[in-house]
DNA sequence: CTGTTAGCGCCTTCAA
DNA sequence: TTGAAGGCGCTAACAG
């Protein structure tokens, strides 16, 4: 399939390549009649301009890349969709990449995107170990992180205030009368989990309610599986059953629900359950109460931030480190035991 | 962020740009010592080659594009992941695009990918209306369709033999003792549904079992919603309850299950349910029996086909129109009433 | 209004 | 083993 170039079109239409370029880009400085003729020829040859050449001379592609760990997770795919929307609104094209929760794959995509001359990158890091390559490629092109907080670094980010989220969730459970709390699905590598868990403990202590973190062993491919397996481990552990469970995330909560079904446990009858992230539109079988920031707000902020950077604005440390206020989304997975 | 070029590196290392290029691409014709020095300089400046320029001169990007209608659907996202895997194995990089089930968006991405000089495109068409742009851009670059069968066109495709799938599903339900069948979630625009539904009718007639297609009104964003709404409409319609339901797809079946829960219906106690596509690993609450082709087989075939085309091989009509044999995946949504 | 020309950053002959 | 030079397809001055 030999590529047809602007030259072919020019020859065929009997004009110069400059005119073709002008016609194609809707610039003026060309007669209507000539323009029509050129466009007609393009159509006839089903000519498509070479984006590489154009990008090369224009020094830009109007494209940003989005890297996320798991396209199959409802959480990420929803955020991804919202983020592309936001990017499109700002006039960017979007390249999507799925890192499969693998650090090397993630690094590879960062490289690919930089090489593809995207103007900026939005990344949902896999975890703290993502930092190295983010910092490396962040020298070439602006990078904004969502969702994991690269606090130790200078990478700009937009995420939820997870500490506050943990507090909200715990307070809510207690306000509904829970007297014994367990946190399930904890994964130490996730910074968000660390915040959620530590403020969980802190809040419970402050309110004088017994609370513990269940540390399930071994890790699993997805948060869903982790929730499922950890909760089964918890049931087998012989530990006393709490009346309130904080799941490390909604995906985790979903796994817990599955384990409950298999063990004849009912929510919220047997215990109250609360999660984080608000992916529950994807959980048709459970109306999960959760704590989260608005996905739209988060992604739009992130794109706006990236856009600033792309346009070369210098941002202060504070402007580039956005923590959004989470709020409670009340549904039906918590009983009212007051 | 001024881009660092091969020229800067050459100047810094005190060599010619040709040498830098050679070092970067691991070609020989350059001394080890010089090569190391160059690489060191690249590292120090965190130089990343410009893919646009490289693609331009190499006349190729080793990249393929994948376009799918809905990244949030477990069905598509799973296929997408499998397809990228297959592409990576063949040495291609992958660009992902989400058409949002919108024909214009789909066309736009086709254009974007062609302009980005991908070597080939894998597309999960939204429906028959996708054909126009597929044929248009198929002139520029090889395009292979999955999942919808563009039979009227010359676009190469790899999909399930949906007629056979419909037969299998219907036969199975009947073999399990069903005496009254309804097909729910039908959407006329989906070619696959038409095949499934018509062979459903045909098979039931052949086996002398009453069967009908319930035509729900109005359409919905996702198959899930369509299943949910259509089944609720069915319940309200006053039609007699069948003992076997064929859902237009697994996603549809999932919607039906949701409606069942809300109406106190139990599966398979109240009726047997079967779907298509085998996405049920994503339906933790129901072990749905289904009919489908292997996702891995399908995507690998598709990538192999595309690869042939990319390498310029001419394929016969038959080679470019692959229908895979579906098989029954037996789980627990059908009772045994024999 | 139109055409000519000089690059964009890189790879690849071709000479040295 | 090395470097100089041409050109990939396109846009953006600059001339006419």
């Amino acid at each position: 399939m030999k590529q047809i170039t602007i030259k072919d079109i020019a020859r065929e239409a009997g004009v110069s390549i400059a005119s073709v370029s002008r016609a194609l880009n809707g610039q003026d400085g060309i007669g209507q009649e000539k323009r029509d003729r050129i466009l007609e020829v393009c159509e006839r040859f089903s000519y498509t301009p070479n984006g590489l050449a154009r990008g090369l001379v224009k020094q830009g592609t109007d494209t940003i890349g989005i890297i996320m760990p798991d396209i199959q997770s409802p959480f990420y795919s929803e955020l991804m969709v919202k983020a592309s929307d936001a990017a499109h609104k700002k006039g960017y094209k979007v390249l999507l990449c799925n890192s499969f929760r693998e650090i090397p794959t993630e690094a590879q995509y960062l490289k690919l995107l930089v090489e593809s001359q995207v103007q900026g990158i939005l990344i949902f890091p896999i975890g703290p170990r993502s930092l190295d390559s983010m910092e490396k490629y962040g020298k070439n092109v602006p990078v904004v992180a969502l969702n994991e907080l690269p606090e130790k670094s200078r990478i700009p980010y937009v995420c939820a205030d997870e500490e506050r989220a943990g507090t909200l969730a715990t307070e809510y459970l207690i306000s509904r009368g829970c007297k014994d709390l367990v946190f399930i699905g904890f994964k130490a590598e996730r910074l968000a989990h660390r915040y959620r868990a530590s403020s969980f403990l802190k809040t419970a202590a402050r309110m004088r309610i017994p609370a513990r973190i269940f540390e399930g062993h071994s890790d699993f491919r997805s948060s869903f599986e982790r929730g499922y397996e950890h909760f089964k481990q918890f049931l087998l552990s012989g530990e006393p059953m709490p009346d309130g469970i904080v799941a490390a995330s909604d995906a985790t909560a979903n796994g817990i629900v599955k384990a409950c079904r298999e063990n004849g446990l009912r929510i919220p009858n047997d215990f109250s359950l609360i999660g984080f992230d608000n992916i529950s539109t994807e959980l048709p079988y459970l109306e999960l109460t959760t704590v989260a920031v608005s996905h739209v707000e988060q992604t739009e902020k992130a794109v706006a931030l990236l856009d600033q950077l792309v346009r070369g604005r210098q941002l202060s440390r504070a402007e580039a480190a956005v923590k959004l206020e989470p709020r409670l989304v009340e549904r039906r997975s918590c009983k009212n035991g007051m």
Side-chain angles (χ1 to χ4, degrees), chain A:
Chain A
M1 290 197 186
K2 194 225 158 238
Q3 156 130 253
I4 295 172
T5 78
I6 207 175
K7 234 183 208 161
D8 302 315
I9 302 296
R11 185 172 1 87
E12 191 68 22
V15 297
S16 75
I17 59 168
S19 296
V20 178
S21 175
R22 283 191 268 257
L24 245 37
N25 296 304
Q27 293 166 316
D28 45 37
I30 180 175
Q32 189 58 44
E33 171 217 16
K34 180 168 284 193
R35 166 173 318 217
D36 289 344
R37 182 152 44 92
I38 292 172
L39 260 19
E40 186 273 322
V41 175
C42 289
E43 190 66 31
R44 184 145 49 82
F45 284 54
S46 55
Y47 163 78
T48 331
N50 185 325
L52 303 185
R54 174 181 303 188
L56 189 57
V57 36
K58 294 282 277 285
Q59 296 282 63
T61 51
D62 293 342
T63 302
I64 68 165
I66 301 182
I67 303 181
M68 99 205 97
D70 185 2
I71 217 177
Q72 295 197 65
S73 136
F75 175 57
Y76 287 117
S77 67
E78 184 185 336
L79 278 173
M80 205 242 66
V81 165
K82 297 285 196 314
S84 344
D85 262 1
H88 287 139
K89 272 190 212 154
K90 286 259 181 201
Y92 291 106
K93 299 168 206 152
V94 172
L95 259 35
L96 261 32
C97 308
N98 188 31
S99 67
F100 289 92
R101 302 184 192 271
E102 294 159 8
I103 298 282
T105 310
E106 189 182 55
Q108 224 169 282
Y109 273 119
L110 237 6
K111 178 153 175 278
L112 176 62
L113 289 175
V114 172
E115 290 186 357
S116 305
Q117 306 297 111
V118 297
Q119 318 255 184
I121 297 175
L122 234 47
I123 181 168
F124 299 83
I126 295 167
R129 290 200 302 134
S130 303
L131 260 180
D132 289 349
S133 39
M134 283 163 64
E135 282 183 327
K136 174 170 175 195
Y137 292 105
K139 284 174 197 156
N140 295 296
V141 93
V143 173
V144 169
L146 285 92
N147 231 44
E148 271 282 330
L149 326 78
E151 287 188 310
K152 295 282 157 53
S153 80
R154 309 207 154 241
I155 303 285
Y157 63 83
V158 178
C159 9
D161 182 339
E162 298 294 1
E163 195 159 352
R164 179 91 185 104
T167 304
L168 274 180
T170 313
E171 284 178 352
Y172 178 72
L173 246 30
I174 294 172
S175 80
R176 301 284 278 191
C178 290
K179 302 266 182 276
D180 184 27
L181 267 26
V182 175
F183 189 103
I184 287 187
F186 180 72
K187 178 172 176 180
E189 292 79 56
R190 294 289 316 265
L191 217 42
H193 289 201
R194 297 221 284 263
Y195 281 112
R196 291 166 185 178
S198 78
S199 64
F200 160 79
L201 252 22
K202 225 177 289 173
T203 306
R206 171 165 54 77
M207 301 177 79
R208 305 195 188 288
I209 294 288
R212 56 216 143 103
I213 294 173
F214 177 74
E215 307 249 6
H217 54 266
S218 74
D219 199 32
F220 303 92
R221 223 202 95 259
S222 68
S223 308
F224 175 80
E225 283 174 63
R226 179 158 25 80
Y228 176 70
E229 297 292 344
H230 280 199
F231 189 64
K232 285 206 301 191
Q233 289 170 22
F234 176 77
L235 291 178
L236 260 53
S237 72
E239 288 198 35
M241 197 64 187
D243 57 0
I245 290 184
V246 176
S249 68
D250 284 358
T252 316
N254 197 11
I256 293 175
V257 172
K258 183 186 180 193
C260 284
R261 283 184 183 274
E262 295 180 0
N263 287 273
L265 259 22
R266 299 185 46 88
I267 298 170
N269 311 28
D270 291 311
F271 59 84
S272 292
L273 177 64
I274 194 168
F276 299 93
D277 294 340
N278 193 18
I279 61 166
S280 47
T281 49
E282 305 289 331
L283 306 182
Y285 307 121
L286 174 72
E287 307 258 343
L288 183 69
T289 294
T290 191
V291 172
V293 298
S294 149
H295 296 339
V296 171
E297 184 188 356
Q298 187 185 7
T299 52
E300 291 194 340
K301 277 254 166 61
V303 170
L305 191 58
L306 189 60
D307 187 49
Q308 296 291 327
L309 265 8
V310 169
R311 292 167 189 280
R313 257 203 57 189
Q314 255 3 52
L315 297 183
S316 74
R317 198 77 204 266
E319 286 174 306
V322 183
K323 282 201 184 182
L324 266 21
E325 174 74 15
R327 45 182 234 305
L328 183 75
V329 181
E330 223 172 335
R331 286 195 275 255
R332 304 200 295 204
S333 63
C334 300
K335 63 170 169 268
N336 194 341
M338 290 313 269

